[in-house]
Amino acid sequence: MLGGEEFEIETEELPADRVAVPESFAEQANVTPGQLRRFTEEGVDAWEMAGDLLTWDRPYRTVFDAEACDWFPDGQLNASVNCLDRHLDERKNQRALVWEGQLGETRTDTYLELSRKVNAVAAGLRELGVEEGDVVTLHMPVIPELLVTMLACARIGAVHAVVYAGFSAEALATRMAESNSSYLVVSDGYYRRGDAVSLTNRAETVRAGLDQDVTTVVVDRLGDNHQYPLGADEHQYRRLLADHRGETVDPVPRDATDELFLIYTSGTTGEPKRVTHTTGGYLAHTAWTSHAVLDIEPSDTYLCTADLGWITGHSYIVYGPLALGTTVLLREGEADQPPRTKLWELIEKHAVDILYTSPTAIRTFMKWGEEYPEEYDLSSLRLLGTVGEPINPDVWQWLYEHVGGGECPVVDTWWQTETGGHLITTIPGVDEMQPGTAGPALPGIEATVVDETGAEVDPNTGGYLAIETPWPGMPRELSEETRWAETSGVLPDSEWAYMTGDGAVVDDEGYVTILGRVDDVINVSGRRYGTLELESVIVGVEGIAEAAVVSGYDGRDQGIYAYANPDTDAADELALREAIYQAVETQIGSFARPDRIVFTPELPKTSSGKIMRRLLSDIAHGNELGDTSALRNPEVVGEIESATQSD
Ligand code: 6R9
């Protein structure tokens, strides 16, 4: 797991000074240092604070069973009850969901209305044969129907698997095959920056590639001009909803350890990596961090700009915020898509209290200029959060000043698909902030930085980030593979550890600065790409002998750089380039299209024959080249450098 050789730590740019907690915020913050002390005093049992934010059908007596590595093992609950039913007494007429569509539409659902829709869709899914434990694949843009269907699955104990709408039919089929899913809820298409993208025929293509039969429900997103012809075993979502209007479905009590959903992410193998989150631990973790870190209260209007198809959308649009009974503003489309005033206009229009977004989007806003946010009244904002990648100190400052007016804390939250929820971040109102540094591990979490041998390194020294305590949002795969009591053998000094795949530095006070990925995964614009997955698609193109994918930087933006070696000298590079784009688009999706394709006569290799990705990454970033003495073919370096620059 520790892929040592290729990993070099840069510690030159250590973080700037700390910023104090704005006092006005601290006075009203959801958690106080006193409450958090319970983690020091009670250890793992303090996670009871998270469990107690939920409503249980059968209350748990044990918080964590170390033997089995299970959270709240004897408890039973239903996630849709926690996100809907239990709020109805107090706030049935409060808005649960406000949706802003790509075409300028606004749709609102109160908690009561949302709950009725979820019940109707749950009844519809049941009628189609969906049973507890079945995997239902959802493939849609950010529209209310997606959120409704997620909660409808949760209500009947079905396991949803959302596949981001930008994935290709082939990528969708691979995921459905892996999870043996026989149900697909898909939209007829989606709008991307105003243009309609059709998903018609997607179900057909998927079916052709699968062994199992598939029952499909089609959601109408594109309107009457884009009628989706229904085939056999295809049903209309609208019909389903109308046929079951007014029906109620008893929520299925689930064991805390039962799966709530599956989600696929990029791992270190070429295959997409399945991550399974639990009903009790995951929901407790996301509810607790939504409360303690995002400071969400029921009276808030909360905006998170992530896509529902990724983990951030699951944890911090759907489950955490709705478990707390807040008003969620859902926006279809990317945070930084034009018009340049859109996001600020939405914040003013809906008097948004909390904004959770990505460093990439903020970098774009910064490039556009502060005049856009300045045109709007953003004084409703109380807290700002970022996720997905490190945020540079100057970008942090820009957000703090030009969006938060110097009065809103910024939480830089580090976590992963695998962790389910936040693990490293400051707690607003409690911890001082340090621009460029995620912050300390959450109370109850131990984050360590270790070297290649697994030994803890000294403070302010780079190494591999490991998590040495279990946490409620841990995925089932981790509980199953790494029983808490057994040693994983990775770290000599600890009983158990989860290796995150990130490089990091910890300072004397325990603040963690993330340096980026150290495994065969790259993170571009807050999205994880398995380099092996991309490389195998590129190598699959006829005429390409070898390929290596790294992240690169052109002085303005981070991007995916693909280095490819054609198998003849006389290759038609233009045609090959097109073929590569085509292959990535059909096998993964256009969002993974490389920003640069550089053809080279050879890839740089170590004497043992490994492609030296670190060198390619240095070249792609325009960095000083590190030690190249281990190279078998140093003569190619200059050529690759000039090809990268001229491309
Ligand atoms: C939630 C999410 C996880 C990877 C992770 C790391 C990077 C996420 C970060 C951050 C620096 C932060 N990452 N948050 N790096 N600072 N605050 O993004 O999940 O898509 O699985 O990506 O993202 O490299 O390992 P996921």
Side-chain angles (χ1 to χ4, degrees):
M1 187 154 219
L2 300 177
E5 162 181 20
E6 311 263 322
F7 177 42
E8 219 174 56
I9 295 141
E10 291 161 38
T11 42
E12 297 144 38
E13 216 187 296
L14 277 184
D17 289 335
R18 301 252 158 112
V19 178
V21 174
E23 226 166 82
S24 54
F25 183 91
E27 282 164 10
Q28 62 78 59
N30 277 350
V31 296
T32 59
Q35 284 168 300
L36 298 175
R37 262 198 300 278
R38 282 188 61 185
F39 283 99
T40 337
E41 289 156 8
E42 299 169 33
V44 92
D45 285 335
W47 283 108
E48 191 190 337
M49 286 192 283
D52 284 354
L53 288 176
L54 305 180
T55 299
W56 298 80
D57 293 318
R58 189 173 74 201
Y60 59 89
R61 274 161 305 172
T62 308
V63 171
F64 180 64
D65 173 352
E67 197 65 38
C69 205
D70 285 338
W71 287 88
F72 312 110
D74 44 6
Q76 279 191 336
L77 75 169
N78 181 283
S80 86
V81 169
N82 275 279
C83 292
L84 299 169
D85 306 41
R86 67 173 180 151
H87 303 314
L88 295 182
D89 273 352
E90 269 182 59
R91 54 183 73 94
K92 64 175 191 301
N93 293 324
Q94 179 193 307
R95 296 171 314 166
L97 195 63
V98 180
W99 175 72
E100 289 276 353
Q102 280 276 291
L103 306 180
E105 320 95 306
T106 308
R107 282 205 254 152
T108 302
D109 283 305
T110 63
Y111 269 95
L112 182 62
E113 287 161 344
L114 189 62
S115 143
R116 285 182 175 154
K117 286 182 184 165
V118 167
N119 272 279
V121 173
L125 291 175
R126 272 246 173 98
E127 185 202 86
L128 297 179
V130 179
E131 291 177 8
E132 184 176 358
D134 286 347
V135 176
V136 181
T137 304
L138 314 181
H139 189 55
M140 278 173 264
V142 176
I143 49 179
E145 289 85 347
L146 175 51
L147 186 146
V148 166
T149 313
M150 288 166 81
L151 292 174
C153 289
R155 190 160 196 89
I156 57 176
V159 179
H160 60 72
V162 182
V163 177
Y164 170 65
F167 274 117
S168 64
E170 218 168 289
L172 174 64
T174 313
R175 284 157 182 77
M176 288 186 74
E178 200 281 340
S179 61
N180 199 19
S181 171
S182 307
Y183 297 93
L184 172 66
V185 185
V186 61
S187 64
D188 58 353
Y190 59 93
Y191 289 100
R192 203 184 127 70
R193 304 199 171 218
D195 298 328
V197 179
S198 170
L199 294 177
T200 312
N201 302 332
R202 186 138 292 206
E204 231 167 87
T205 320
V206 163
R207 239 191 250 128
L210 290 179
D211 294 335
Q212 67 262 34
D213 290 336
V214 178
T215 302
T216 306
V217 178
V218 181
V219 177
D220 175 9
R221 170 63 189 119
L222 297 183
D224 293 342
N225 298 332
H226 299 269
Q227 282 297 339
Y228 184 114
L230 289 185
D233 238 354
E234 295 195 333
H235 308 263
Q236 237 176 19
Y237 178 92
R238 210 189 309 146
R239 259 285 28 103
L240 216 61
L241 197 63
D243 287 350
H244 297 276
R245 179 153 294 147
E247 288 179 30
T248 52
V249 173
D250 288 340
V252 174
R254 301 275 281 159
D255 286 348
T257 53
D258 280 343
E259 54 278 76
L260 178 60
F261 65 84
L262 311 179
I263 186 162
Y264 289 90
T265 191
S266 295
T268 51
T269 68
E271 298 297 308
K273 175 181 176 189
R274 171 214 283 231
V275 176
T276 310
H277 281 295
T278 64
T279 309
Y282 169 84
L283 201 61
H285 194 121
T286 52
W288 164 252
T289 44
S290 295
H291 169 77
V293 178
L294 299 176
D295 202 58
I296 293 176
E297 288 172 48
S299 56
D300 286 332
T301 298
Y302 164 82
L303 169 60
C304 167
T305 63
D307 193 291
L308 283 173
W310 307 112
I311 190 69
T312 305
H314 286 58
S315 301
Y316 297 112
I317 293 179
V318 182
Y319 289 110
L322 291 181
L324 298 182
T326 198
T327 298
V328 169
L329 175 57
L330 195 61
R331 185 189 177 200
E332 184 187 30
E334 286 167 12
D336 52 354
Q337 81 175 51
R340 295 180 173 193
T341 51
K342 189 70 192 179
L343 192 70
W344 318 121
E345 187 192 309
L346 290 179
I347 292 172
E348 179 181 284
K349 176 177 167 195
H350 297 287
V352 169
D353 298 88
I354 297 162
L355 171 68
Y356 192 32
T357 188
S358 68
T360 318
I362 303 160
R363 274 198 295 273
T364 309
F365 300 144
M366 203 173 147
K367 240 182 285 174
W368 287 347
E370 64 222 44
E371 58 270 31
Y372 298 101
E374 263 164 21
E375 266 178 60
Y376 292 86
D377 179 0
L378 307 180
S379 62
S380 58
L381 287 169
R382 183 172 86 247
L383 179 102
L384 303 166
T386 65
V387 54
E389 56 186 324
I391 176 164
N392 332 51
D394 58 327
V395 179
W396 191 104
Q397 285 294 351
W398 189 91
L399 175 70
Y400 186 67
E401 281 165 30
H402 298 291
V403 180
E407 287 179 8
C408 304
V410 174
V411 286
D412 170 0
T413 59
W414 179 92
W415 59 294
Q416 305 177 308
T417 307
E418 293 86 339
T419 71
H422 307 150
L423 287 191
I424 300 175
T425 168
T426 53
I427 302 238
V430 173
D431 299 311
E432 288 174 350
M433 301 168 280
Q434 184 161 315
T437 293
L442 281 179
I445 304 295
E446 220 177 289
T448 346
V449 176
V450 300
D451 65 14
E452 283 81 1
T453 68
E456 190 170 342
V457 300
D458 291 334
N460 305 312
T461 312
Y464 304 93
L465 178 66
I467 306 295
E468 293 198 57
T469 38
W471 65 96
M474 64 197 291
R476 288 228 333 199
E477 287 79 9
L478 214 55
S479 319
E480 280 159 14
E481 279 167 24
T482 331
R483 296 288 163 195
W484 171 247
E486 286 168 24
T487 160
S488 63
V490 179
L491 304 192
D493 303 329
S494 83
E495 251 187 315
W496 179 89
Y498 164 64
M499 298 304 296
T500 64
D502 277 5
V505 180
V506 183
D507 73 9
D508 299 306
E509 287 171 67
Y511 275 52
V512 182
T513 303
I514 305 293
L515 301 169
R517 299 290 303 180
V518 296
D519 52 16
D520 293 334
V521 172
I522 53 176
N523 187 329
V524 172
S525 301
R527 229 167 247 176
R528 270 165 74 175
Y529 300 88
T531 53
L532 273 171
E533 194 181 353
L534 278 167
E535 285 164 8
S536 58
V537 169
I538 297 172
V539 171
V541 169
E542 210 182 306
I544 298 293
E546 269 188 319
V549 171
V550 295
S551 71
Y553 183 69
D554 66 2
R556 281 172 62 107
D557 294 303
Q558 281 276 118
I560 301 174
Y561 283 45
Y563 288 87
N565 167 216
D567 57 15
T568 62
D569 289 344
D572 175 354
E573 290 191 357
L574 214 62
L576 277 180
R577 199 178 294 272
E578 264 322 299
I580 291 174
Y581 286 138
Q582 195 61 39
V584 171
E585 239 158 75
T586 52
Q587 292 171 54
I588 303 179
S590 48
F591 68 96
R593 186 183 158 100
D595 297 279
R596 295 275 181 94
I597 298 174
V598 181
F599 291 107
T600 83
E602 264 177 71
L603 291 171
K605 300 247 175 91
T606 63
S607 50
S608 61
K610 281 178 86 178
I611 298 173
M612 209 188 217
R613 287 192 181 72
R614 172 177 59 74
L615 182 78
L616 290 173
S617 167
D618 280 342
I619 294 174
H621 280 90
N623 289 345
E624 228 15 61
L625 301 190
D627 186 5
T628 53
S629 58
L631 270 189
R632 179 163 74 179
N633 51 353
E635 68 285 355
V636 300
V637 174
E639 208 167 321
I640 297 176
E641 269 185 304
S642 53
T644 305
Q645 280 150 14
S646 68
D647 186 67

